[in-house]
Coordinates of all heavy atoms in Angstrom, one line a residue:
D1 N -7.8 -9.1 22.1 CA -6.6 -9.8 21.6 C -5.7 -8.8 20.9 O -5.9 -8.5 19.7 CB -7.1 -11.0 20.6 CG -5.9 -11.8 20.1 OD1 -4.7 -11.3 20.2 OD2 -6.1 -12.9 19.6
W2 N -4.8 -8.2 21.6 CA -4.1 -7.1 21.2 C -3.1 -7.4 20.0 O -3.0 -6.6 19.1 CB -3.3 -6.4 22.3 CG -2.5 -5.3 21.9 CD1 -1.1 -5.2 21.8 CD2 -3.0 -4.0 21.3 NE1 -0.8 -3.9 21.3 CE2 -1.9 -3.2 21.0 CE3 -4.3 -3.5 21.1 CZ2 -2.0 -2.0 20.4 CZ3 -4.4 -2.2 20.5 CH2 -3.3 -1.5 20.2
A3 N -2.5 -8.6 20.1 CA -1.5 -8.9 19.0 C -2.2 -9.0 17.7 O -1.7 -8.4 16.7 CB -0.9 -10.3 19.3
R4 N -3.4 -9.5 17.6 CA -4.2 -9.6 16.4 C -4.7 -8.2 16.0 O -4.6 -7.8 14.8 CB -5.4 -10.6 16.6 CG -6.3 -10.6 15.4 CD -7.4 -11.7 15.7 NE -8.4 -11.8 14.6 CZ -9.5 -11.1 14.5 NH1 -9.8 -10.1 15.4 NH2 -10.3 -11.2 13.5
R5 N -5.2 -7.5 16.9 CA -5.8 -6.2 16.7 C -4.7 -5.2 16.1 O -4.9 -4.5 15.2 CB -6.4 -5.6 17.9 CG -6.5 -4.0 17.9 CD -7.5 -3.5 17.0 NE -8.8 -3.4 17.7 CZ -9.0 -2.5 18.6 NH1 -8.1 -1.5 18.9 NH2 -10.2 -2.5 19.2
Y6 N -3.5 -5.3 16.7 CA -2.5 -4.3 16.3 C -2.0 -4.6 14.9 O -1.8 -3.7 14.1 CB -1.3 -4.4 17.3 CG -0.3 -3.3 17.1 CD1 -0.6 -2.0 17.1 CD2 1.1 -3.6 16.9 CE1 0.3 -1.0 16.9 CE2 2.0 -2.6 16.7 CZ 1.6 -1.3 16.7 OH 2.6 -0.3 16.5
K7 N -2.0 -5.9 14.5 CA -1.7 -6.2 13.1 C -2.7 -5.7 12.2 O -2.4 -5.1 11.1 CB -1.5 -7.7 12.9 CG -0.2 -8.2 13.3 CD 0.0 -9.7 12.9 CE 1.4 -10.2 13.2 NZ 1.5 -11.6 12.8
L8 N -4.0 -5.8 12.6 CA -5.1 -5.3 11.7 C -5.0 -3.8 11.6 O -5.2 -3.2 10.5 CB -6.4 -5.6 12.4 CG -6.8 -7.1 12.4 CD1 -8.1 -7.3 13.2 CD2 -6.9 -7.7 11.0
M9 N -4.6 -3.1 12.7 CA -4.4 -1.6 12.6 C -3.3 -1.2 11.7 O -3.4 -0.3 10.9 CB -4.1 -1.1 14.0 CG -5.3 -1.1 15.0 SD -4.9 -0.9 16.7 CE -4.0 0.7 16.7
R10 N -2.2 -2.0 11.7 CA -1.1 -1.7 10.8 C -1.5 -1.9 9.4 O -1.1 -1.1 8.5 CB 0.1 -2.5 11.2 CG 0.7 -2.2 12.6 CD 1.6 -3.3 13.1 NE 2.7 -3.5 12.2 CZ 3.4 -4.7 12.2 NH1 3.1 -5.7 12.9 NH2 4.4 -4.8 11.3
V11 N -2.1 -3.0 9.1 CA -2.6 -3.3 7.7 C -3.5 -2.2 7.2 O -3.4 -1.7 6.1 CB -3.2 -4.7 7.6 CG1 -3.8 -4.9 6.3 CG2 -2.1 -5.8 7.9
H12 N -4.5 -1.8 8.1 CA -5.5 -0.9 7.7 C -4.9 0.5 7.3 O -5.2 1.0 6.3 CB -6.5 -0.7 8.8 CG -7.8 -0.1 8.3 ND1 -9.0 -0.2 9.0 CD2 -8.1 0.6 7.2 CE1 -10.0 0.4 8.4 NE2 -9.5 0.9 7.3
T13 N -3.9 0.9 8.1 CA -3.3 2.2 7.8 C -2.4 2.1 6.5 O -2.4 3.0 5.7 CB -2.4 2.7 9.0 OG1 -3.2 2.7 10.2 CG2 -1.8 4.0 8.7
A14 N -1.8 0.9 6.3 CA -1.0 0.7 5.1 C -1.9 0.7 3.9 O -1.5 1.2 2.8 CB -0.3 -0.7 5.2
L15 N -3.1 0.2 4.0 CA -4.0 0.2 2.8 C -4.4 1.6 2.5 O -4.6 2.0 1.3 CB -5.3 -0.7 3.1 CG -5.0 -2.2 3.1 CD1 -6.3 -2.9 3.5 CD2 -4.5 -2.7 1.8
H16 N -4.6 2.5 3.5 CA -4.9 3.9 3.2 C -3.7 4.5 2.4 O -3.9 5.3 1.5 CB -5.1 4.7 4.5 CG -6.5 4.5 5.0 ND1 -7.2 5.6 5.5 CD2 -7.3 3.5 5.2 CE1 -8.4 5.2 5.9 NE2 -8.5 3.9 5.7
L17 N -2.5 4.1 2.8 CA -1.3 4.7 2.0 C -1.3 4.1 0.6 O -0.8 4.7 -0.3 CB 0.0 4.3 2.8 CG 0.1 5.1 4.1 CD1 1.4 4.7 4.9 CD2 0.2 6.6 3.9
L18 N -1.7 2.8 0.5 CA -1.7 2.2 -0.8 C -2.7 3.0 -1.7 O -2.4 3.2 -2.9 CB -2.2 0.7 -0.7 CG -2.3 0.0 -2.0 CD1 -0.9 -0.2 -2.7 CD2 -2.9 -1.4 -1.8
S19 N -3.8 3.5 -1.2 CA -4.7 4.3 -2.0 C -4.1 5.6 -2.4 O -4.7 6.3 -3.3 CB -6.0 4.4 -1.3 OG -5.9 5.4 -0.2
V20 N -3.0 6.0 -1.7 CA -2.4 7.3 -2.1 C -1.5 7.1 -3.3 O -1.5 7.9 -4.2 CB -1.5 7.8 -0.9 CG1 -0.7 9.0 -1.3 CG2 -2.4 8.2 0.3
I21 N -0.7 6.0 -3.3 CA 0.2 5.7 -4.4 C -0.5 5.2 -5.6 O 0.0 5.2 -6.7 CB 1.4 4.8 -4.0 CG1 0.9 3.4 -3.6 CG2 2.2 5.4 -2.9 CD1 2.0 2.4 -3.4
L22 N -1.7 4.7 -5.4 CA -2.6 4.3 -6.5 C -3.9 5.1 -6.4 O -4.9 4.6 -5.9 CB -2.9 2.8 -6.4 CG -1.8 1.8 -6.8 CD1 -2.1 0.4 -6.5 CD2 -1.4 2.0 -8.3
P23 N -3.9 6.3 -7.0 CA -5.1 7.2 -6.8 C -6.2 6.9 -7.8 O -6.6 7.7 -8.6 CB -4.4 8.6 -7.1 CG -3.4 8.3 -8.1 CD -2.8 6.9 -7.7
Y24 N -6.8 5.7 -7.6 CA -7.9 5.3 -8.5 C -9.1 4.9 -7.6 O -8.9 4.6 -6.4 CB -7.5 4.1 -9.3 CG -6.3 4.3 -10.2 CD1 -5.0 3.9 -9.8 CD2 -6.4 4.9 -11.4 CE1 -3.9 4.1 -10.6 CE2 -5.3 5.1 -12.3 CZ -4.0 4.7 -11.8 OH -3.0 4.9 -12.6
P25 N -10.3 4.9 -8.1 CA -11.4 4.5 -7.4 C -11.2 3.0 -6.8 O -10.8 2.2 -7.5 CB -12.6 4.5 -8.4 CG -12.1 5.5 -9.4 CD -10.7 5.3 -9.5
V26 N -11.6 2.9 -5.5 CA -11.5 1.6 -4.9 C -12.8 0.8 -5.0 O -13.9 1.3 -4.6 CB -11.1 1.8 -3.4 CG1 -11.1 0.4 -2.7 CG2 -9.8 2.5 -3.3
T27 N -12.8 -0.4 -5.5 CA -14.0 -1.2 -5.7 C -14.2 -2.2 -4.7 O -15.3 -2.9 -4.6 CB -14.0 -1.8 -7.1 OG1 -12.8 -2.7 -7.2 CG2 -13.9 -0.8 -8.2
G28 N -13.2 -2.4 -3.8 CA -13.4 -3.4 -2.7 C -12.1 -3.5 -1.9 O -11.1 -3.0 -2.3
G29 N -12.2 -4.2 -0.8 CA -11.0 -4.3 0.1 C -11.3 -5.3 1.2 O -12.4 -5.6 1.5
Q30 N -10.2 -5.8 1.8 CA -10.3 -6.7 2.9 C -9.0 -6.6 3.7 O -7.9 -6.4 3.2 CB -10.5 -8.1 2.4 CG -10.8 -9.1 3.5 CD -11.1 -10.5 3.0 OE1 -10.6 -10.9 1.9 NE2 -12.0 -11.2 3.6
I31 N -9.2 -6.7 5.1 CA -8.1 -6.7 6.0 C -8.0 -8.0 6.7 O -9.0 -8.5 7.2 CB -8.3 -5.5 7.0 CG1 -8.3 -4.2 6.3 CG2 -7.1 -5.5 8.0 CD1 -8.9 -3.1 7.1
S32 N -6.8 -8.6 6.8 CA -6.6 -9.8 7.5 C -5.4 -9.7 8.5 O -4.8 -8.6 8.6 CB -6.3 -11.0 6.5 OG -7.4 -11.1 5.6
D33 N -5.1 -10.7 9.2 CA -4.0 -10.7 10.1 C -2.7 -10.7 9.4 O -2.1 -11.7 9.0 CB -4.1 -12.0 11.0 CG -3.2 -12.0 12.2 OD1 -2.3 -11.1 12.3 OD2 -3.3 -12.9 13.0
G34 N -2.1 -9.5 9.3 CA -0.8 -9.3 8.6 C -0.9 -9.1 7.1 O 0.1 -8.9 6.5
T35 N -2.1 -9.2 6.5 CA -2.2 -9.0 5.1 C -3.5 -8.2 4.8 O -4.3 -8.1 5.7 CB -2.3 -10.4 4.3 OG1 -3.6 -11.0 4.7 CG2 -1.2 -11.3 4.7
G36 N -3.6 -7.7 3.6 CA -4.7 -7.0 3.2 C -4.7 -6.8 1.7 O -3.7 -7.0 1.0
R37 N -5.9 -6.3 1.2 CA -5.9 -6.0 -0.3 C -6.9 -4.9 -0.5 O -7.8 -4.6 0.2 CB -6.4 -7.3 -1.0 CG -7.9 -7.7 -0.7 CD -8.4 -8.7 -1.7 NE -9.7 -9.2 -1.3 CZ -10.9 -8.6 -1.6 NH1 -10.9 -7.4 -2.3 NH2 -12.0 -9.1 -1.3
L38 N -6.7 -4.2 -1.7 CA -7.6 -3.3 -2.2 C -7.8 -3.6 -3.7 O -6.9 -4.0 -4.4 CB -7.1 -1.8 -2.1 CG -7.1 -1.2 -0.7 CD1 -6.6 0.2 -0.8 CD2 -8.5 -1.2 -0.1
D39 N -9.0 -3.5 -4.2 CA -9.3 -3.6 -5.6 C -9.5 -2.2 -6.2 O -10.2 -1.4 -5.6 CB -10.6 -4.4 -5.8 CG -10.5 -5.9 -5.3 OD1 -9.3 -6.3 -5.0 OD2 -11.5 -6.5 -5.1
F40 N -8.9 -2.0 -7.3 CA -8.9 -0.7 -7.9 C -9.5 -0.7 -9.3 O -9.3 -1.7 -10.1 CB -7.5 -0.1 -8.1 CG -6.8 0.2 -6.8 CD1 -6.0 -0.8 -6.2 CD2 -7.0 1.4 -6.1 CE1 -5.3 -0.5 -5.0 CE2 -6.3 1.7 -4.9 CZ -5.5 0.7 -4.4
D41 N -10.3 0.3 -9.7 CA -10.8 0.5 -11.0 C -9.7 1.2 -11.8 O -9.7 2.4 -11.8 CB -12.1 1.2 -11.0 CG -12.7 1.4 -12.3 OD1 -12.4 0.6 -13.3 OD2 -13.6 2.3 -12.5
I42 N -8.9 0.4 -12.5 CA -7.7 1.0 -13.2 C -7.8 0.7 -14.7 O -8.0 -0.4 -15.1 CB -6.4 0.5 -12.7 CG1 -6.3 0.7 -11.1 CG2 -5.2 1.1 -13.4 CD1 -5.0 0.1 -10.5
P43 N -7.7 1.7 -15.6 CA -7.6 1.4 -17.0 C -6.5 0.5 -17.3 O -5.6 0.3 -16.5 CB -7.3 2.8 -17.6 CG -7.8 3.8 -16.6 CD -7.5 3.1 -15.2
E44 N -6.6 -0.2 -18.4 CA -5.6 -1.2 -18.9 C -4.2 -0.6 -18.7 O -3.8 0.4 -19.3 CB -5.8 -1.5 -20.3 CG -5.0 -2.7 -20.8 CD -5.4 -4.0 -20.1 OE1 -6.6 -4.2 -20.0 OE2 -4.6 -4.8 -19.7
A45 N -3.4 -1.3 -17.8 CA -2.1 -0.8 -17.5 C -1.3 -1.9 -16.8 O -1.9 -2.8 -16.2 CB -2.1 0.5 -16.6
T46 N 0.0 -1.8 -16.8 CA 0.9 -2.7 -16.1 C 1.4 -2.0 -14.9 O 2.0 -1.0 -14.9 CB 2.1 -3.1 -17.0 OG1 1.6 -3.7 -18.2 CG2 3.0 -4.1 -16.3

């Protein structure tokens, strides 16, 4: 199912870039169809 897979690929690469702009240890993550998340171990900050 290429339409679904390609979205997952785009999200996955975007999450790698997210870990670049937030250079903190990653405690978890998930990729979905068009969305994704990373959990970071970040000291108290806004």
